[in-house]
Amino acid sequence: MIFVTLEHILTHISFSIISIVIMIHFMTLLVHEIVGLRNSSERGMIATFLSITGLLVIRWIYSGHFPLSNLYESLIFLSWSFSIIYMIPKIRNHKNDLSVITAPSAIFTQGFATSGLSTEMHQSATLVPALQSQWLMMHVSMMLLSYAALLCGSLLSVALLVITFRKNINIFLKSKNLLIKSFFIGEVEYLNEKRSVFKNTSFISFRNYYKYQLTQRLDYWSYRVISLGFTFLTIGILSGAVWANEAWGSYWNWDPKETWAFITWIIFAIYSHTRTNQSLQDTHSALAASIGFLIIWICYFGINLLGIGLHSYGSFTLKSN
């Protein structure tokens, strides 16, 4: 009973702290960045990480197995994964831009786990024989860490696409206005205005220097976080194949979950390839990552809700992946 009470307390603490972190981010959008607010946000994410870690450890102790046996536990672990990804830049003292993505992602997954699922799914059940394996921790944790990293990296790529698209639209509209005005104003005035417009719309101009820095940071972090997630995904698929051979007698069964995990791997392999080709970087790689964002949700959540295949746990507390 005491373990259940502690679990509820830590759940509410972590949810409350991360809600405050998001409010701090909104405040920094409305006013100039304040060092004190940024430090509070960082401390909040660290406190959230510690709270969710304590929650998982307590659940592990009283259930007797690693807490990844159903959808509720996997969502809590996914929320923990988002918070640990936030810690990565702090290891090397880099400027941390990931909290804008990780904080809302963590509160969304934890909020859905605590409020969107039935009370029965919150209960820890005895593992079915197929899950009573040492591979449970290795395979499922790698898959969920990969989902968290790939989702964060993909969202950064989506933001990069939006900023680049808006920039191109603005340049196009200003150029179109110049073309129309050229028919109604003198050549000298037209050339002067054209020179002024190109000066203002230059991507590396002083006026757009902040936007240039922002896109560079988005591209930098999206590539590194996606690369980390792709590594986790590869390890997760390989360990899952070994586990499947032990549990079901076959390394690969083309189960819906396995198939969509393979599709996810292909999409991000394409992303990695575009990063090696100079002409396909930036928007092309960001587009591939954006498609991958949708594929991940189908792989992780869509298949589970349908409750089909060997990995189904959307409606029952039987299996997890």
Side-chain angles (χ1 to χ4, degrees), residues 237-255 258 310-311:
I237 291 176
L238 292 176
S239 59
V242 176
W243 187 13
N245 184 58
E246 290 185 3
W248 302 315
S250 175
Y251 286 101
W252 198 265
N253 299 283
W254 290 108
D255 176 76
E258 295 175 351
L310 298 170
H311 296 78

Side-chain angles (χ1 to χ4, degrees), residues 256-321:
K257 191 76 161 182
E258 295 175 351
T259 303
W260 280 99
F262 180 67
I263 294 173
T264 304
W265 190 90
I266 291 295
I267 292 295
F268 286 101
I270 294 172
Y271 169 87
S272 299
H273 172 70
T274 59
R275 296 293 307 191
T276 62
N277 192 327
Q278 192 70 28
S279 62
L280 296 177
Q281 286 187 12
D282 298 332
T283 56
H284 291 84
S285 59
L287 182 61
S290 302
I291 296 172
F293 177 79
L294 299 176
I295 300 298
I296 294 167
W297 281 115
I298 295 174
C299 177
Y300 171 62
F301 207 64
I303 301 299
N304 297 333
L305 288 182
L306 292 175
I308 58 177
L310 298 170
H311 296 78
S312 60
Y313 61 92
S315 302
F316 306 97
T317 57
L318 290 179
K319 298 179 183 180
S320 175
N321 190 344

Side-chain angles (χ1 to χ4, degrees), residues 112-160:
F112 181 78
T114 54
S115 304
L117 300 179
S118 62
T119 308
E120 291 76 13
M121 295 192 70
H122 293 187
Q123 306 302 320
S124 180
T126 305
L127 291 177
V128 295
L131 294 182
Q132 295 176 6
S133 170
Q134 298 296 328
W135 290 102
L136 174 66
M137 183 187 301
M138 174 70 175
H139 169 60
V140 186
S141 62
M142 285 295 102
M143 293 301 293
L144 289 174
L145 283 169
S146 72
Y147 292 157
L150 293 175
L151 286 171
C152 287
S154 297
L155 283 174
L156 292 173
S157 294
V158 170
L160 176 62

Side-chain angles (χ1 to χ4, degrees), residues 134-194:
Q134 298 296 328
W135 290 102
L136 174 66
M137 183 187 301
M138 174 70 175
H139 169 60
V140 186
S141 62
M142 285 295 102
M143 293 301 293
L144 289 174
L145 283 169
S146 72
Y147 292 157
L150 293 175
L151 286 171
C152 287
S154 297
L155 283 174
L156 292 173
S157 294
V158 170
L160 176 62
L161 272 182
V162 171
I163 293 173
T164 304
F165 179 75
R166 288 185 61 184
K167 169 183 167 292
N168 292 336
I169 288 294
N170 290 336
I171 293 176
F172 173 76
L173 291 177
K174 290 180 180 180
S175 299
K176 185 178 179 180
N177 289 336
L178 274 178
L179 183 62
I180 294 174
K181 288 182 179 180
S182 65
F183 291 101
F184 300 100
I185 61 179
E187 182 179 357
V188 175
E189 293 179 1
Y190 168 70
L191 291 176
N192 289 336
E193 186 166 351
K194 181 178 180 182

